[in-house]
Amino acid sequence: MNTHKTRGKVARCSDKLKQNVSRILEKTLVIYGIALLFHLLLLALNTASQFKLGYFIVVRRVSIYSIIQSNPLINPALLSTSLTLASTAILSRRRKPRDKALLLVIPILASCMLLGDKLALVACLSISLIIGFILSLSIREVYEGLLIGLIILVAASIVELLLAAANITPLGLSYLINDLQGLMQYLSPYLYSAILFLSIILVNVFLVKRPGASINAGKEDIRINEYYYPVVGSILALIVYVIPYTIMVNPKRLIPTTDIVVYVELLEQMKKTEDPLIAALTLRQGDRFLYMLILYYLQKLLGLDSWSISTISGLLWTPILVFSTWYMVRRTYGIEAAKYAALITPLSTQMLGFIYGGFQANHLNISLLLLSMGLIAENKLWKVFLGSTILALSATIHLWSWMQVAPAIMLWILIETLVRRNKANLTKLGLVIATSLIAVIIAYNVGAFNYIYRNNLLRIMERTMNLPLEAKLNGLLKSLLIYLWGSLNNPVLFVLCINGQAHRLRKLDHMPIDYLNALTLIGIYLLSPDITMVSRLILNVPVHVFAGITLENSGRKSNITIYLLLLFNALYMALNAPPK
């Protein structure tokens, strides 16, 4: 009886505590409303003064700002906390994810607009999440609501960027997105790792269906309209890629990437020589001589100048990347995974990295390497031979990416041969080793292999091998945040990738890209904190393939939410590509 009485008292105290907390939080709505209206008034006055709509308004705006800046009674931290608590008071009584999303977004927006301080943004975000989790009846809804909230923020920022391109005064939302995407720099590498793995757990618990309940069961043989997805993906990729070159977004026609200048200089040097083949073998010690020949003769065929061909060539390789990714995933992981991979490719960190960096040889070579990977995974001998030939040629297009991907393919075939003792795999192994040996001999003789391996990789490894783990993790974070203007920084995509890789590790039939991920992690550890090398390693891995595997095993509602977030993020990053 005493136990029952004690439980009853605890329950009553708990209910009373919840009621009191709810009342206190609801009272902060008054503070929230006044603060938000006050801010909107200041924003309106500020906008009016920019258009010079009257001397009185301008004077009043200045006097109001001077009061805010000099009055010690207004505590920014207290104001931010009040805004956050107010939103979570309503959040506890809402059931729909979109309501929770809006109420998670409101305090972040308001605090940033009022304070303009990144640390205040971190504090508001943390408080909002913690209280939201405590008060909400469904953690899943808060999690999905947070994703929807990010969609709202990024979508609003896209609108603002378009308005700014049309010379309409921006509202400040794009700065908020930049702050949100740069929050990792305020975290220690260990804390960031913990948050990343917590996110993966949440994805597994809330978004991914349990084994045996896959939504794709029995769909493997359905091939109706399967080519629809790479076609749509290619069209979307072309749109994303061409955004930084449009007159509205880039009216000054500035170069939106870095390496375009490099290719222009190389082409101009080739024009000055009588023999373009000798020139291509000499430039950069021949590490991409076949690509330079392709670019040179493509320029002659189309009759374009060096700037034009260097600008549009990356656009030409974009649909090749989409179709190669789709074909490779279709052959190795199935039709459903291939469908999602084709749709995510245009929105991936890989595509955005190619847009920002202008790594055109790398872009084409990764496309060919993925195609080679899919062909070598086939059972027909002529396809294996074709894939091996493409693999060998890719070493002369961009040796850097070949040195990362080719070992993964060879390791996969070797392990498959040893485990399964299949004569067909033995033939594959012989073909791949023979063609790759030819590629290595060519690269060694022209000097490219020595240029990359001895002068770069060995030197960096000697400098970074004995560094502590924290320094290596910091190097990884800087690679994501700084290099290529932060286009590699998409935590949502990486969470989906790691989650999809975890699904793959449960299987016994590992594929080449599984080994590519493993070797890349080793490479990151050896080369970090050299941000250039680590960024190149990340760029060469199609993480969106494993994100597609996660979406393959999750529900339709979650897929739409995540895909919209990836879409808006890609559009936002592409709109920011041109230098301002």
Side-chain angles (χ1 to χ4, degrees):
M1 288 293 294
N2 291 335
T3 304
H4 288 296
K5 288 182 179 179
T6 304
R7 289 179 179 175
K9 288 181 180 180
V10 170
R12 286 192 294 272
C13 290
S14 177
D15 292 339
K16 190 174 181 179
L17 179 62
K18 287 181 179 179
Q19 291 175 2
N20 291 333
V21 169
S22 181
R23 288 196 194 99
I24 293 172
L25 294 179
E26 287 174 359
K27 288 180 180 179
T28 59
L29 285 172
V30 178
I31 302 174
Y32 171 75
I34 293 173
L36 189 57
L37 288 174
F38 187 56
H39 166 69
L40 293 174
L41 173 64
L42 293 178
L43 184 64
L45 291 173
N46 182 38
T47 304
S49 67
Q50 290 180 7
F51 288 101
K52 303 186 183 304
L53 299 179
Y55 179 76
F56 176 78
I57 291 181
V58 175
V59 173
R60 180 58 59 90
R61 177 185 68 84
V62 174
S63 63
I64 290 176
Y65 269 117
S66 63
I67 291 172
I68 291 179
Q69 292 171 358
S70 62
N71 193 339
L73 298 177
I74 298 179
N75 189 330
L78 180 61
L79 184 58
S80 300
T81 306
S82 300
L83 295 174
T84 306
L85 293 178
S87 67
T88 50
I90 312 173
L91 185 148
S92 64
R93 300 189 173 196
R94 294 293 183 270
R95 299 296 177 88
K96 295 182 179 180
R98 64 171 180 270
D99 296 337
K100 296 178 186 296
L102 287 170
L103 293 163
L104 283 169
V105 169
I106 286 173
I108 302 172
L109 275 173
S111 62
C112 284
M113 290 188 293
L114 285 167
L115 306 176
D117 185 54
K118 295 180 181 179
L119 292 177
L121 172 62
V122 177
C124 284
L125 182 62
S126 304
I127 295 172
S128 183
L129 287 175
I130 291 171
I131 298 179
F133 279 127
I134 293 174
L135 297 181
S136 177
L137 298 176
S138 171
I139 300 179
R140 176 185 179 122
E141 290 182 355
V142 174
Y143 181 74
E144 292 180 348
L146 180 60
L147 290 178
I148 297 174
L150 289 173
I151 289 176
I152 294 170
L153 283 176
V154 181
S157 297
I158 290 174
V159 173
E160 183 202 41
L161 285 171
L162 293 173
L163 291 175
N167 293 323
I168 298 176
T169 306
L171 303 175
L173 294 177
S174 60
Y175 297 105
L176 173 60
I177 292 299
N178 290 333
D179 289 345
L180 280 172
Q181 294 189 334
L183 285 181
M184 290 188 292
Q185 61 187 310
Y186 293 102
L187 307 176
S188 74
Y190 299 109
L191 180 57
Y192 173 68
S193 301
I195 293 173
L196 185 67
F197 284 106
L198 175 62
S199 301
I200 295 165
I201 293 172
L202 290 174
V203 169
N204 261 298
V205 171
F206 298 142
L207 300 185
V208 179
K209 292 183 176 290
R210 299 300 90 199
S214 174
I215 60 173
N216 300 308
K219 292 187 178 180
E220 189 62 24
D221 295 328
I222 299 177
R223 299 193 176 187
I224 300 175
N225 295 329
E226 62 174 297
Y227 294 101
Y228 167 81
Y229 299 97
V231 170
V232 172
S234 297
I235 295 172
L236 181 57
L238 292 171
I239 293 172
V240 173
Y241 203 101
V242 82
I243 283 174
Y245 299 95
T246 57
I247 295 176
M248 180 178 179
V249 177
N250 190 359
K252 297 180 181 179
R253 298 186 180 277
L254 300 173
I255 305 170
T257 64
T258 55
D259 275 20
I260 283 181
V261 180
V262 175
Y263 287 109
V264 170
E265 292 175 353
L266 294 176
L267 282 173
E268 289 300 316
Q269 292 180 42
M270 291 180 69
K271 285 182 181 180
K272 295 176 183 178
T273 61
E274 296 180 358
D275 192 340
L277 176 59
I278 298 298
L281 290 170
T282 306
L283 296 172
R284 300 176 59 96
Q285 297 192 13
D287 73 324
R288 60 193 71 185
F289 72 86
L290 181 57
Y291 182 77
M292 291 312 304
L293 288 173
I294 293 172
L295 211 58
Y296 178 80
Y297 287 107
L298 188 62
Q299 179 185 10
K300 276 185 165 294
L301 177 65
L302 298 177
L304 299 173
D305 59 88
S306 298
W307 282 101
S308 298
I309 192 64
S310 298
T311 301
I312 70 167
S313 53
L315 186 66
L316 299 178
W317 317 141
T318 296
I320 301 176
L321 179 63
V322 175
F323 271 90
S324 296
T325 303
W326 170 79
Y327 175 74
M328 185 273 293
V329 178
R330 178 178 174 275
R331 177 59 190 88
T332 53
Y333 298 132
I335 295 174
E336 285 295 314
K339 174 180 71 175
Y340 289 108
L343 293 177
I344 298 178
T345 299
L347 319 177
S348 64
T349 54
Q350 192 174 65
M351 182 66 73
L352 293 172
F354 291 143
I355 292 174
Y356 275 83
F359 304 139
Q360 297 169 13
N362 198 354
H363 188 174
L364 176 61
N365 210 42
I366 286 296
S367 305
L368 295 178
L369 284 167
L370 293 177
L371 176 62
S372 170
M373 200 179 289
L375 288 169
I376 293 173
E378 296 277 5
N379 294 323
K380 294 182 179 180
L381 184 60
W382 73 269
K383 290 186 177 181
V384 177
F385 178 76
L386 179 60
S388 302
T389 304
I390 294 174
L391 181 64
L393 288 175
S394 68
T396 63
I397 293 177
H398 191 263
L399 188 58
W400 288 89
S401 52
W402 182 89
M403 291 176 63
Q404 183 178 350
V405 179
I409 296 176
M410 286 185 271
L411 182 61
W412 166 67
I413 300 174
L414 177 61
I415 293 177
E416 287 291 302
T417 303
L418 294 175
V419 171
R420 302 187 186 280
R421 301 180 184 276
N422 191 330
K423 291 183 178 180
N425 284 334
L426 194 60
T427 305
K428 285 184 184 181
L429 182 63
L431 279 171
V432 171
I433 291 178
T435 52
S436 298
L437 186 60
I438 295 172
V440 170
I441 292 172
I442 295 173
Y444 182 80
N445 284 324
V446 300
F449 189 81
N450 186 65
Y451 166 68
I452 291 176
Y453 182 69
R454 294 186 180 277
N455 297 346
N456 289 279
L457 295 180
L458 284 182
R459 178 176 53 82
I460 294 171
M461 283 192 286
E462 289 172 358
R463 180 169 56 87
T464 60
M465 272 291 290
N466 297 323
L467 291 174
L469 178 61
E470 185 170 5
K472 290 183 174 293
L473 290 175
N474 272 322
L476 176 60
L477 290 182
K478 288 180 180 178
S479 300
L480 296 172
L481 290 167
I482 297 173
Y483 200 68
L484 300 177
W485 292 269
S487 60
L488 300 180
N489 175 20
N490 189 341
V492 174
L493 193 61
F494 283 109
V495 167
L496 296 175
C497 167
I498 297 173
N499 193 78
Q501 180 67 88
H503 276 276
R504 288 298 310 162
L505 290 177
R506 299 171 190 167
K507 310 287 184 180
L508 296 177
D509 56 335
H510 296 147
M511 294 298 169
I513 197 171
D514 297 314
Y515 294 95
L516 175 61
N517 275 359
L519 292 179
T520 300
L521 289 175
I522 296 172
I524 289 174
Y525 178 78
L526 293 176
L527 298 174
S528 187
D530 188 283
I531 63 173
T532 303
M533 293 303 302
V534 170
S535 300
R536 287 300 186 98
L537 289 173
I538 297 171
L539 187 65
N540 287 335
V541 177
V543 297
H544 48 282
V545 168
F546 292 99
I549 293 174
T550 299
L551 296 186
E552 176 193 8
N553 293 282
S554 59
R556 181 175 178 271
K557 178 182 176 182
S558 301
N559 287 352
I560 292 174
T561 302
I562 293 173
Y563 191 79
L564 283 175
L565 180 56
L566 296 177
L567 174 63
F568 289 151
N569 181 79
L571 294 176
Y572 173 78
M573 298 298 288
L575 286 168
N576 271 293
K580 302 295 189 287

